[in-house]
């Protein structure tokens, strides 16, 4: 019972993780003019957020030796709430960058901690549903911004609203401490929940030298580069190439997140019936079809292709995460997951920024082939990892 109630709280925390992730791409068509910066500067914000998340995920395993997952989650969600509220108030781009660093660090600690906890203590279905709740969080921002834009309000209203919602979730997690203790986590560390004969931590050097670890990192890097490039630049692509209004493009961005969420819900329902590697391959094929639809369908239907693209994205990330203890064992799970997520954040930062430069200096029309190139890298990395990784299979 306590384990189930704790899972509900963890799901709520993952809603908080998703809330800010969909905001920047949908708000940027208005934000960049308010700050008086070039459109490509969205990449700077993305890189800064990812720098924070990368650092947080790399040090998570070490911090978790001293502090409980509950403690880290509460502090991290509080940081993201403060950063989002700061976004709504800031008028200086350099100060915005500082807030983005705090936002990224908070998100990275939540992501690393809860993913590892669920991978170790719950079945694959729970992991897919966990990331479906991230998707639910991402649904809020674009539609909220679409409503505000249609009614003559600012993107700042959206960030203040999301920051307030984040604060409420932080209070919920703060009040859940007894559930974590009853479900088996010590109030100080997680060591008590692991077998005494099992090595609790490993060094980064040991983890990265496991067979398949580098390929796993490349798989996460390429997947998140695909997803984040789509989240960040699809609205701008629709406005500049397909002739959408800012409000319509924000709504179309919402469909991308609806697709991601639907994909994760469906994958959660069938996870116990389908091997993870088959789930990933079907998802990659769906992404390919989505890319072709973005290129080929008439402009008036282009927004709907975002849903199909997102549906393909949905199952890949949680399925890869849940495979980490399976391929590399519990001994290396926390460290390798930290490396995987650090790679994910690097991909989320660098490759969307690269496309910002290409889109500004060449054409936003390069968006679909850019996603296709990254998809091919993702397919190579995951297939090679499945052949080389060791552990329970």
């Amino acid at each position: 019972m306590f384990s189930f109630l704790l899972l509900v709280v963890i799901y709520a925390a993952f809603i908080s993780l998703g809330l800010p992730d969909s905001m920047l791409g949908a708000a940027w068509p208005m934000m960049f003019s308010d700050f008086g910066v070039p459109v490509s500067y969205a990449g700077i914000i993305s890189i800064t957020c990812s720098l924070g998340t990368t650092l947080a995920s790399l040090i998570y395993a070490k911090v978790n030796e001293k502090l409980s997952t509950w403690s880290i989650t509460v502090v991290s969600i509080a940081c993201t709430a403060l950063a989002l509220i700061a976004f709504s108030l800031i008028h200086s781009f350099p100060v915005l960058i500082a807030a983005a660093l705090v936002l990224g660090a908070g998100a990275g600690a939540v992501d690393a901690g809860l993913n590892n906890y669920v991978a170790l203590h719950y079945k694959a279905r729970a992991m897919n549903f966990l990331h479906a709740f991230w998707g639910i969080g991402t649904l809020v921002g674009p539609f909220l911004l679409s409503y505000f834009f249609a009614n003559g309000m600012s993107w700042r209203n959206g960030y203040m609203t999301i920051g307030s919602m984040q604060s409420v979730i932080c209070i919920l997690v703060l009040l859940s401490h007894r559930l974590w203790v009853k479900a088996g986590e010590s109030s100080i560390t997680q060591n008590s929940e692991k077998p005494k004969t099992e090595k609790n931590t490993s060094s980064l050097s040991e983890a990265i030298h496991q067979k398949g670890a580098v390929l796993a990192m490349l798989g996460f890097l390429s997947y998140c580069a695909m997803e984040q490039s789509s989240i960040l630049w699809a609205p701008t692509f629709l406005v500049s190439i397909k002739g959408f209004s800012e409000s319509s493009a924000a709504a179309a961005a919402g469909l991308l997140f609806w697709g991601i969420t639907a994909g994760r819900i469906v994958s959660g329902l069938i996870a116990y019936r389908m091997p993870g590697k088959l789930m990933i391959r079907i998802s990659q094929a769906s992404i390919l079809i989505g890319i072709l639809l973005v290129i080929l369908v008439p402009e008036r239907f282009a927004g709907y292709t975002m849903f199909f693209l997102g549906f393909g994205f949905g199952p890949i990330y949680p399925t890869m995460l849940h495979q980490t203890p399976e391929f590399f064992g519990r001994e290396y799970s926390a460290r390798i997951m930290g490396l995987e997520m650090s790679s994910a954040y690097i991909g989320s930062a660098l490759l969307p920024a690269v496309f910002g430069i290409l889109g500004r200096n060449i054409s936003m029309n390069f968006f679909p082939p850019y996603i296709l190139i990254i998809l091919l890298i993702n397919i190579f990395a995951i297939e090679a990892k499945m052949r080389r990784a060791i552990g329970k299979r």
Side-chain angles (χ1 to χ4, degrees):
M1 181 63 178
F2 287 109
S3 180
F4 172 76
L5 292 176
L6 176 58
L7 188 60
V8 172
V9 172
I10 291 173
Y11 284 165
F14 244 67
I15 291 176
S16 80
L17 192 64
L19 285 172
D21 282 359
S22 59
M23 291 292 290
L24 181 61
W28 190 247
M30 283 188 136
M31 282 181 70
F32 81 89
S33 58
D34 282 1
F35 283 99
V37 297
V39 66
S40 60
Y41 275 32
I44 298 177
I45 300 176
S46 178
I47 287 173
T48 305
C49 281
S50 294
L51 175 62
T53 51
T54 300
L55 293 174
S57 62
L58 282 174
I59 67 172
Y60 171 78
K62 196 69 176 176
V63 173
N64 194 215
E65 293 173 17
K66 305 295 183 183
L67 299 174
S68 66
T69 304
W70 170 79
S71 302
I72 297 170
T73 302
V74 170
V75 173
S76 300
I77 296 177
C79 288
T80 62
L82 290 173
L84 288 167
I85 293 171
F87 262 60
S88 71
L89 302 173
I90 289 167
H91 292 272
S92 166
F93 189 77
V95 180
L96 184 70
I97 294 301
L101 184 64
V102 175
L103 179 63
V110 174
D111 206 7
L114 297 185
N115 275 304
N116 190 54
Y117 190 90
V118 172
L120 290 174
H121 296 88
Y122 295 91
K123 296 181 179 179
R125 174 183 290 192
M127 179 66 83
N128 283 279
F129 282 136
L130 177 70
H131 287 270
F133 278 91
W134 171 86
I136 290 171
T138 65
L139 299 178
V140 177
F143 287 103
L144 187 67
L145 287 172
S146 180
Y147 172 80
F148 284 149
F149 293 166
N151 287 276
M153 289 184 278
S154 169
W155 59 269
R156 296 181 184 276
N157 299 99
Y159 270 100
M160 178 60 76
T161 303
I162 293 296
S164 300
M165 295 172 67
Q166 196 88 318
S167 300
V168 172
I169 294 174
C170 182
I171 293 170
L172 172 65
V173 178
L174 177 65
L175 297 176
S176 71
H177 180 247
R178 189 180 177 191
L179 291 177
W180 293 87
V181 175
K182 292 289 185 181
E185 178 175 355
S186 163
S187 60
I188 299 175
T189 73
Q190 291 188 47
N191 291 341
S192 62
E193 68 196 25
K194 299 175 183 177
K196 298 298 182 181
T197 58
E198 186 175 85
K199 185 179 179 181
N200 289 321
T201 60
S202 60
S203 70
L204 284 175
S205 177
E206 289 177 318
I208 203 169
H209 282 95
Q210 296 301 301
K211 290 182 180 179
V214 172
L215 290 166
M217 293 165 63
L218 180 59
F220 276 84
L221 185 151
S222 55
Y223 168 75
C224 286
M226 268 194 302
E227 182 189 82
Q228 189 61 33
S229 294
S230 300
I231 290 170
L232 187 60
W233 294 114
T236 304
F237 168 77
L238 293 173
V239 170
S240 60
I241 302 300
K242 299 293 186 179
F244 279 48
S245 67
E246 286 84 356
S247 176
S248 297
L255 290 176
L256 178 68
F257 289 105
W258 273 106
I260 293 173
T261 304
R264 287 177 179 170
I265 291 173
V266 170
S267 64
L269 293 173
I270 65 174
Y272 68 99
R273 297 179 178 176
M274 182 180 294
K277 62 182 179 180
L278 179 58
M279 182 98 67
I280 290 173
R281 287 167 180 165
I282 292 172
S283 300
Q284 290 166 333
S286 299
I287 294 170
L288 177 60
I289 295 170
I291 293 169
L292 295 175
L293 289 174
V294 170
I295 296 171
L296 298 175
V297 302
E299 282 78 0
R300 65 181 181 276
F301 298 119
Y304 299 108
T305 65
M306 295 295 109
F307 177 87
F308 199 91
L309 191 62
F311 191 84
F313 287 148
I316 297 178
Y317 190 78
T319 302
M320 288 194 300
L321 281 171
H322 201 269
Q323 286 177 333
T324 302
E326 174 188 348
F327 277 102
F328 301 103
R330 292 175 63 100
E331 176 182 348
Y332 295 102
S333 174
R335 287 293 188 188
I336 289 182
M337 196 168 287
L339 289 168
E340 288 171 336
M341 298 178 75
S342 298
S343 303
Y345 301 138
I346 292 169
S348 296
L350 295 183
L351 293 184
V354 168
F355 179 76
I357 297 170
L358 294 174
R360 180 185 178 190
N361 294 291
I362 302 176
S363 172
M364 282 289 168
N365 255 328
F366 194 57
F367 172 71
Y370 189 75
I371 301 301
L372 176 59
I373 292 168
I374 303 174
L375 173 62
L376 295 176
I377 296 171
N378 180 255
I379 292 171
F380 161 78
I382 292 176
E383 291 298 321
K385 179 200 77 171
M386 289 178 181
R387 289 194 299 270
R388 295 190 62 187
I390 61 173
K392 297 181 294 181
R393 296 201 228 182

